[in-house]
Amino acid sequence: MIAKLTGIVDSTGTDWVVLDVNGVGYLLSCSNRTLSRLAVGERASLVVETFIREERIVLHGFGDQADREWFKLLTTIQGVGARLALSILGVLDPDQLTRAIASQDKTALVRADGVGPKVAARILNELKDKVGNLALGPAASTGTPAGKGAPAAVPGASPALADAVSALVNLGYGRSEAFGAVVAAGRVLGDDAGVSDLIRQGLKELSQ
């Protein structure tokens, strides 16, 4: 099994790169975001996920371990293969993907080619418990556990945080964007912050 490759970028395409490692060219499938970091002729290191199939070995390359772990997680979902997982990782980095799932932001996921509303809903539903409080941090640690009374829009969040997110969404901000701003506001203000304070601080975060 190949876990990592380091070499010179020989050539790139719309969804692949050939990495020259000591004279041997390895073809790796990559997301657009990973490919954007690579330049022909320059040295690069890619974390690799190896798929072994009956007829061939397929290598998928990632800029870091976090991308690789998200790829593995996404491909556990029915209907999400390697190509679709790479498409998602091409438009959302791990932090953005965590926030999108935690805030149940279907709009963020359908930005990826091939991801329709049904697939996006399945991803959000199946991963919400696995992601849970990853994006919330200590500011939401006293909130209601996901699935036990917390608002469905923000699993694991306190009622004040969820209400503040909804308020910012109503002002026209994207759900993931609003979620990230309110979580940041909660870290600044502390666990006892009220809705109005979270909204006010959240707007400051969004203006930065």
Side-chain angles (χ1 to χ4, degrees), residues 70 97-105 123-124 127-128 131 155:
W70 267 108
L97 192 48
T98 299
R99 288 197 298 269
I101 293 171
S103 62
Q104 295 290 279
D105 187 357
I123 293 171
L124 294 176
L127 294 186
K128 64 182 180 182
V131 172

Side-chain angles (χ1 to χ4, degrees), residues 1-25:
M1 298 288 285
I2 299 173
K4 182 180 179 180
L5 288 170
T6 298
I8 304 299
V9 177
D10 179 85
S11 56
T12 61
T14 55
D15 59 358
W16 55 266
V17 61
V18 173
L19 195 64
D20 185 331
V21 181
N22 297 324
V24 178

Side-chain angles (χ1 to χ4, degrees), residues 36-81:
S36 69
R37 305 174 186 173
L38 306 177
V40 174
E42 293 190 0
R43 190 172 181 83
S45 292
L46 294 175
V47 180
V48 178
E49 180 68 12
T50 305
F51 276 16
I52 300 178
R53 297 174 177 170
E54 292 183 3
E55 68 279 10
R56 59 178 179 151
I57 297 175
V58 180
L59 303 179
H60 301 288
F62 308 92
D64 53 45
Q65 188 66 33
D67 271 12
R68 179 176 178 266
E69 292 305 315
W70 267 108
F71 174 82
K72 292 167 63 177
L73 188 58
L74 287 166
T75 52
T76 64
I77 300 171
Q78 182 181 2
V80 179

